Amino acid sequence: QVQLVESGGGLVQPRGSLRLSCAASGSIFSINAMGWYRQAPGKQRELVAVIGSGGNTNYADSVNGRFTISRDNAKKTVYLQMNSLKAEDTAVYYCQMRIRRRISYAENDYWGQGTQVTVSS
């Protein structure tokens, strides 16, 4: 089995910062892309940032220049550093990883449980 566990969400004031983490565990052979998505109330889930196995990154226009995605392959962990937070960043944030499992070598997308980020004064 594969499990993704997120941490780091919470309440922060506008212009503040938060760092999200997401660690994978289980029967993992390799991890390809890692990403962060978010879903605000009444809205569809949207891509925030993604990082490939080679370290290449891509960001949503709304967060470009404020958020930074990074990964630690040894720890099977992806991070999202969020700076200059705005009220419109309020959402549940989900991590996602494309993981190839041991034994079967099947590759699938796995999701974290979600962590709430609230930006409010």
Side-chain angles (χ1 to χ4, degrees), residues 50-59 69-71 73:
V50 62
I51 183 167
S53 57
N56 51 305
T57 58
N58 195 26
Y59 296 91
I69 189 171
S70 60
R71 61 191 286 168
N73 292 326

Side-chain angles (χ1 to χ4, degrees), residues 82-96:
M82 304 184 293
N83 298 328
S84 302
L85 283 159
K86 306 175 181 179
E88 49 263 44
D89 295 318
T90 296
V92 177
Y93 284 70
Y94 299 90
C95 64
Q96 176 264 334

Side-chain angles (χ1 to χ4, degrees), residues 38 46-48 59-67 86 88-89:
R38 67 186 181 187
E46 63 175 358
L47 174 67
V48 175
Y59 296 91
D61 289 343
S62 59
V63 307
N64 199 17
R66 299 188 296 122
F67 291 9
K86 306 175 181 179
E88 49 263 44
D89 295 318

